[in-house]
Each structure stands twice: as C-alpha cells, then as structure tokens.
Amino acid sequence: MKRKTGTSLLELTIVMIVFTVVLSAVLLLYVDLSKRSQVALSNVEKYSELFKVDSIIQTELSKAGPNIGKITLIKESESSPARGLRYTVSIPFVTGKVTKQFYFKDGKLKIWEKVTQQVDFTDGDDSLEVIDSTLESGERVIFSTTPFDNVDVEFESVGGGSVFYKITLTTPGGVEIHRSSVKLINVK
C-alpha cells in the first residue's frame, strides 16, 4: 500500500492556529514594550531638563570666587520668592571688588557683573530687584542660557557657606521638585 505525501487540512489548520497564537503573543509583547519605552523616554527628557538646570547652577556657583564677600538672596518683588543671588568677589591682581548677580528670569539663568558700589547691598533688605534688560552703566551680562520650558528656580537660603535652592519642573504628568545645595568654598 502506498502512502500519500503532503499535509492534510487538519494539520494545516493546527499549524495556522499555533502560528496565530505565537504571532499574537509577539505583537502584544511589542506593543507593551513600545508603551513602556515611550514612558521611559518621556521621563528621561523630563529629568534631563531638570538636571541640566541643576548642573548649570552647580557649575556657575562653584566657580564663584576666588573670595566671596557679601552674599544675599534677591527677589523680583516684595512678595515673590528669591530668584537669584547677589555677591561680591575679590579678584586677585585687580583693584576693587566686583558685584555679580546670578539669577533666574524669563526661563533663563543669567549672570551680570559690575564694579562694586555701596548701593549694591543695603543692610537688612532682602527685596533687592532683579536687574535684567535695563542694565546700568558698567554692568554687563557675562552668562545667559537659552530658555528652559516649564522650569522654575527658587533660591531658598544662604548659610554656612552653602546656597540652598529648589528647581520645580511642571509637566502634563505632574510637578517634580528637586532640592539641592552648593558649597561655596571661599566665603569670607
């Protein structure tokens, strides 16, 4: 008796069912992996912006010196939180002192400097205004970043040779708050 070669309809149906189940499982895994990848990428982008701002603050304030004299928090108005710092610096081999202001305004971190004057610091006044576009004679912006979207910076306190600050990132997914500090090495 001769045996027929080939596949029967039943065998072909079983193969198709197994193939469909395996393909469906692979597609479900791919869709799940895609969703998780999008969430992870979104978090990376969100924290990238936050830590880029933190890195700039850390870097610029770490460079403040070599000898910081007075340092104070500054505000845009009486009721607003402190958006920056004003400090004096003695630079070796340069006569006189330099006043610098490191501040956050309109989504940008900026630093301006000028030759120190008595009016730069008023005793007990924590409501000094942030100077931005109306620079006076002798003042110049020496550092400015591109605008950061959805970021807010608030300097909380200065004490013990450290500056404490808070970065708030607002996204559609919620609000992230990052607190940090910088140790100023050469504070008098």
Side-chain angles (χ1 to χ4, degrees), residues 74 85-86 100-103 110-112 129-131:
I74 54 172
L85 303 166
R86 187 175 291 171
K100 291 190 176 193
Q101 182 166 288
F102 182 67
Y103 59 100
K110 292 184 177 186
I111 300 175
W112 63 247
E129 289 205 16
V130 174
I131 298 172

Side-chain angles (χ1 to χ4, degrees), residues 2 10 13 36 38 48-49 58 61 128 144 157 160:
K2 238 179 169 189
L10 179 62
T13 303
R36 290 176 189 249
Q38 288 290 14
S48 169
E49 191 83 353
Q58 293 279 331
L61 288 179
L128 299 169
S144 180
S157 65

Side-chain angles (χ1 to χ4, degrees), residues 69-133:
K70 297 177 182 178
I71 184 167
T72 187
L73 298 173
I74 54 172
K75 300 178 180 185
E76 291 180 280
S77 68
E78 192 70 36
S79 61
S80 71
R83 297 287 181 215
L85 303 166
R86 187 175 291 171
Y87 52 94
T88 60
V89 177
S90 299
I91 301 174
F93 310 113
V94 175
T95 310
K97 293 182 179 183
V98 174
T99 297
K100 291 190 176 193
Q101 182 166 288
F102 182 67
Y103 59 100
F104 181 79
K105 187 169 186 175
D106 301 326
K108 297 179 182 181
L109 288 165
K110 292 184 177 186
I111 300 175
W112 63 247
E113 70 177 17
K114 67 176 190 162
V115 175
T116 301
Q117 299 171 354
Q118 281 294 78
V119 295
D120 292 342
F121 295 88
T122 54
D123 293 333
D125 185 12
D126 286 339
S127 62
L128 299 169
E129 289 205 16
V130 174
I131 298 172
D132 187 19
S133 59

Side-chain angles (χ1 to χ4, degrees), residues 39-59:
V39 168
L41 183 61
S42 172
N43 283 339
V44 165
E45 288 174 2
K46 177 172 64 172
Y47 288 112
S48 169
E49 191 83 353
L50 190 139
F51 289 117
K52 185 186 285 185
V53 171
D54 186 51
S55 174
I56 291 170
I57 293 172
Q58 293 279 331
T59 302

